[in-house]
Amino acid sequence: QGYTQKYIVKNYFYYYLFKFSAALGEEVFYITFLPFIYWNIDHSVSRRMIIIWSIVMYIGQVSKDILKWPRPLSPPVVKLEMRTDAEYGMPSTHAMAATAISFSFLIATTNQYKYPFELGLAAALVFSMLVCLSRLYTGMHTVLDVIGGALISAVLLLLLYPAWDTIDHLLLTSPFCPLLSIVVPLVLCYNYPKLDYYSPTRGDTTTILGAGAGATVGFWLNNQYVAPAYTSKNFQLGFPLISSKLVVVVLARFFVGILIVLLTRRLMKSMVLSMLGYRYKFPIGDLEARRRLEVEVPYKFITYSSVGFSATVLVPLLHELLGLM
């Protein structure tokens, strides 16, 4: 541990392409792309993508710590990332997330909007392939890890697709939705598979389930008290409707929304960590204390459920106040 292998970059095009592609499977992408879809394209598409993403990522993360397949050895492989090196390899959750997000978007929009299906399919394939290849280039996964992740995600999409509308309807209308949306993910996080050493998989899983829980509660509240589903006007997806005015509105929504989301995350991280530090008597900078189950799960879950709630409830309200709806 702590060993860093030196390397020389000989092809900067591939280096930056795959470093960027790897980022498409990380938090910076999730926290921008998924809210963007909700704010600017279609609420129903966003709901389905977030639910699928949460389920797929939970299964992928748990599978890693059950199978316990090691990542590629370094050397001979040169690893360009270090944060996730403590995690197991099989399946690649980057591959799972890329497959789930790209193809759930394709499936959810193809029946609602008029655009060339071939173009959408090509975009989904390119997106998922870039992310998958980036895991090989950065030395974080074997070919089998990547193929396994993509196949697991594809199977889950096929199994969940027939129930999409039923799940969506229940999440929007059931009076038990807010309670179950919080309790079920929390139970899953507290009962996450235990390892002999610390791995960021539990924290990452809690982050994902927390964000999904907060967003789901937001979906329910919006449907109950703001506007019932399927009645709001959405931008039609397609090149003919793109105009300078539309671009300005979309960008304004995005930057206002991201500002609120990032402020929420920063505020809640500081507040929750301070409260937990006071409760369990540890300094905020104590990394080992923050990795304990009783600290990590509430810290991550409360922070990111607040982010999900903010993105689906507070940001649209602010958009309306600013005349961006």
Side-chain angles (χ1 to χ4, degrees):
Q1 291 184 351
Y3 172 76
T4 302
Q5 188 174 359
K6 295 181 179 180
Y7 57 88
I8 298 174
V9 178
K10 294 183 178 180
N11 189 313
Y12 282 95
F13 174 76
Y14 287 140
Y15 179 78
Y16 287 112
L17 172 65
F18 290 123
K19 289 285 281 185
F20 172 76
S21 301
L24 298 178
E26 297 173 358
E27 180 182 348
V28 65
F29 175 74
Y30 302 145
I31 209 170
T32 54
F33 179 73
L34 294 175
F36 179 88
I37 300 298
Y38 187 78
W39 299 331
N40 291 302
I41 296 183
D42 192 300
H43 288 186
S44 66
V45 171
S46 178
R47 288 196 305 269
R48 286 162 171 77
M49 290 178 68
I50 290 173
I51 297 304
I52 292 296
W53 169 68
S54 300
I55 295 173
V56 165
M57 289 300 289
Y58 173 76
I59 292 175
Q61 295 285 75
V62 169
S63 298
K64 283 178 184 286
D65 291 339
I66 291 176
L67 294 174
K68 298 182 179 180
W69 286 23
R71 289 184 182 270
L73 294 176
S74 176
V77 168
V78 176
K79 294 186 177 180
L80 304 185
E81 298 176 13
M82 295 306 297
R83 178 188 173 276
T84 58
D85 194 38
E87 297 179 5
Y88 288 107
M90 178 67 174
S92 167
T93 46
H94 272 71
M96 292 184 70
T99 303
I101 287 176
S102 57
F103 284 93
S104 62
F105 180 81
L106 173 66
I107 295 169
T109 57
T110 190
N111 294 325
Q112 297 190 45
Y113 299 98
K114 293 182 179 180
Y115 66 91
F117 176 78
E118 294 79 6
L119 179 64
L121 179 61
L125 287 171
V126 169
F127 179 87
S128 57
M129 286 180 64
L130 279 175
V131 175
C132 290
L133 290 174
S134 75
R135 308 317 290 157
L136 303 178
Y137 183 87
T138 55
M140 301 309 297
H141 285 286
T142 65
V143 174
L144 186 58
D145 295 343
V146 170
I147 293 176
L151 287 178
I152 292 171
S153 191
V155 170
L156 288 172
L157 276 172
L158 289 174
L159 293 176
L160 291 170
Y161 176 70
W164 271 19
D165 291 338
T166 301
I167 294 172
D168 189 52
H169 182 266
L170 288 174
L171 290 178
L172 292 176
T173 60
S174 173
F176 302 106
C177 173
L179 178 63
L180 293 177
S181 296
I182 299 297
V183 172
V184 172
L186 270 177
V187 170
L188 293 175
C189 292
Y190 275 109
N191 290 277
Y192 193 83
K194 293 180 174 59
L195 296 176
D196 296 332
Y197 64 93
Y198 178 79
S199 168
T201 49
R202 185 182 65 201
D204 291 345
T205 304
T206 305
T207 294
I208 293 165
L209 293 185
T216 302
V217 173
F219 298 152
W220 185 86
L221 285 174
N222 287 335
N223 187 68
Q224 298 295 317
Y225 301 106
V226 180
Y230 312 113
T231 62
S232 60
K233 295 181 180 179
N234 301 300
F235 287 126
Q236 187 78 10
L237 187 64
F239 295 108
L241 292 182
I242 292 179
S243 65
S244 58
K245 182 179 179 180
L246 176 60
V247 170
V248 170
V249 172
V250 166
L251 290 177
R253 285 181 174 182
F254 177 72
F255 286 115
V256 168
I258 287 299
L259 177 62
I260 298 302
V261 164
L262 293 178
L263 287 175
T264 300
R265 184 179 66 166
R266 184 177 182 87
L267 176 64
M268 294 306 297
K269 274 187 173 183
S270 177
M271 184 186 306
V272 175
L273 194 57
S274 296
M275 294 173 62
L276 290 169
Y278 177 79
R279 168 66 177 82
Y280 293 106
K281 311 299 180 185
F282 67 87
I284 294 178
D286 188 344
L287 183 59
E288 289 302 317
R290 289 163 58 174
R291 290 175 170 179
R292 286 154 41 189
L293 175 67
E294 65 271 20
V295 174
E296 184 176 59
V297 170
Y299 168 50
K300 297 277 189 178
F301 192 88
I302 295 173
T303 297
Y304 284 92
S305 61
S306 300
V307 167
F309 184 83
S310 174
T312 54
V313 176
L314 300 184
V315 171
L317 289 176
L318 184 57
H319 284 165
E320 188 169 359
L321 289 174
L322 295 175
L324 297 174
M325 297 300 290

